Amino acid sequence: MSTTATRPRKLALDPRRAGMGRTLATAIVTLVMLGPILVVFWLALRPRLYTDITGPTLETFVYIFAETDILLWLKNSAMVSTLATIISVIVAAPAGYVLSRGRGGAVSAYSLFIFVLQSFPVVVFVIPLFIMFASVGLVDSLSGVAIIYVASSVAVACWMMSAYFDTIPVTLEEAAWIDGCSVFGGFVRIVLRNSLPGVLSTAIYAFLLAWNDYLVALVFLRSDDRFTLPIGLQTFFQQNQTDWGPVMACAVVMLTPPVLIFALLNRFFSIGGIGGALAGK
């Protein structure tokens, strides 16, 4: 007589409960991450001391724009960050192309050099750079700070561009070469033209690195009219007390440009622009 073993039945998970669990976990993580930002906005909208206003108000924002040099700090930060971003992308694009397409010992040594260079923190180079820049008149200069920002971001920018260039088939360039295009022409017309998401990602990285920097600006900028936003923010801190309203209002102003830039460029972060280039292969 044969007996058949009964297999244990698997409990079926309710997909609605699983979806609700994932949604709840995502909401909790999002709330925890947005908590500090919400506190910043709450303190910025809170009435200042010695006023009769009880609800949220823009009084603190009116104060920082009327009584402080925040517009000057904003202009300096925008100039330095934009200049550093443009130069970083211009340098990183061809360098990343060499890392992506090049083969040989020289390219490997170049890649290793970039990796070793990026492994050192910026604080290691601050004092030597200060001595060198003082001898050529670049201390207390926005252009000198921009040069340091470019040097700080170009290594990672090269890797980012190289990683995106690797996703573009070499056959597209080979087809362009057969049609008489030069190597540089193929890079500009084929590779770079189809690398907008990679270029924008690299540009945003370089921009945020320069926009949020505090250490380099603190060491190299001396004059009040050359302060950037992170350095201007510290002027609100006093020895015995701190008026947190202007500090948080300045933080909101500092937060706004990167958010606006990402919101405007978000629609360009799409991959697949060359998806039909190899049709029929």
Side-chain angles (χ1 to χ4, degrees):
M1 186 174 66
S2 61
T3 58
T4 57
T6 59
R7 297 180 180 178
R9 298 178 60 184
K10 294 183 179 179
L11 296 177
L13 264 173
D14 189 355
R16 289 178 299 179
R17 290 186 177 181
M20 290 178 59
R22 287 193 294 266
T23 303
L24 181 60
T26 303
I28 293 175
V29 173
T30 303
L31 185 61
V32 170
M33 296 181 66
L34 292 180
I37 299 178
L38 297 177
V39 172
V40 168
F41 277 92
W42 175 71
L43 291 175
L45 296 174
R46 192 177 60 175
R48 301 192 67 209
L49 300 177
Y50 311 112
T51 60
D52 298 330
I53 304 175
T54 56
T57 176
L58 297 176
E59 178 189 11
T60 307
F61 291 94
V62 174
Y63 166 75
I64 63 173
F65 281 105
E67 303 295 333
T68 68
D69 294 328
I70 189 171
L71 289 177
L72 178 62
W73 306 335
L74 186 63
K75 183 191 74 171
N76 292 340
S77 290
M79 290 174 53
V80 171
S81 301
T82 303
L83 179 61
T85 300
I86 294 174
I87 297 177
S88 296
V89 172
I90 292 176
V91 173
Y97 180 74
V98 172
L99 289 178
S100 175
R101 298 293 192 260
R103 297 292 183 270
V107 176
S108 300
Y110 171 65
S111 177
L112 179 62
F113 172 75
I114 291 179
F115 176 79
V116 173
L117 185 66
Q118 188 62 31
S119 65
F120 290 98
V122 179
V123 66
V124 175
F125 302 102
V126 167
I127 301 304
L129 285 174
F130 184 87
I131 297 174
M132 183 175 65
F133 279 25
S135 62
V136 295
L138 287 177
V139 173
D140 198 20
S141 169
L142 294 177
S143 59
V145 173
I147 293 174
I148 299 177
Y149 292 157
V150 171
S152 301
S153 62
V154 72
V156 174
C158 289
W159 283 107
M160 293 176 66
M161 296 297 296
S162 174
Y164 195 86
F165 291 157
D166 287 340
T167 65
I168 300 177
V170 183
T171 52
L172 295 179
E173 298 169 72
E174 293 174 348
W177 298 339
I178 293 174
D179 290 338
C181 192
S182 63
V183 175
F184 181 76
F187 163 67
V188 174
R189 297 179 182 179
I190 304 298
V191 178
L192 200 59
R193 190 174 181 178
N194 291 287
S195 302
L196 183 59
V199 172
L200 292 180
S201 300
T202 304
I204 288 178
Y205 165 77
F207 181 85
L208 291 178
L209 185 70
W211 182 264
N212 295 323
D213 174 76
Y214 174 77
L215 176 63
V216 173
L218 177 66
V219 173
F220 284 84
L221 299 179
R222 301 297 184 184
S223 303
D224 294 345
D225 59 344
R226 290 181 173 83
F227 281 178
T228 56
L229 270 174
I231 304 302
L233 185 64
Q234 75 166 359
T235 60
F236 294 106
F237 293 91
Q238 302 176 3
Q239 183 175 2
N240 298 323
Q241 64 178 358
T242 300
D243 191 356
W244 289 105
V247 172
M248 297 306 168
C250 186
V252 171
V253 173
M254 187 174 177
L255 176 69
T256 303
V259 173
L260 291 178
I261 291 174
F262 184 81
L264 292 174
L265 299 179
N266 185 41
R267 63 191 183 95
F268 296 105
F269 286 92
S270 60
I271 301 178
I274 58 174
L278 298 178
K281 285 288 187 180

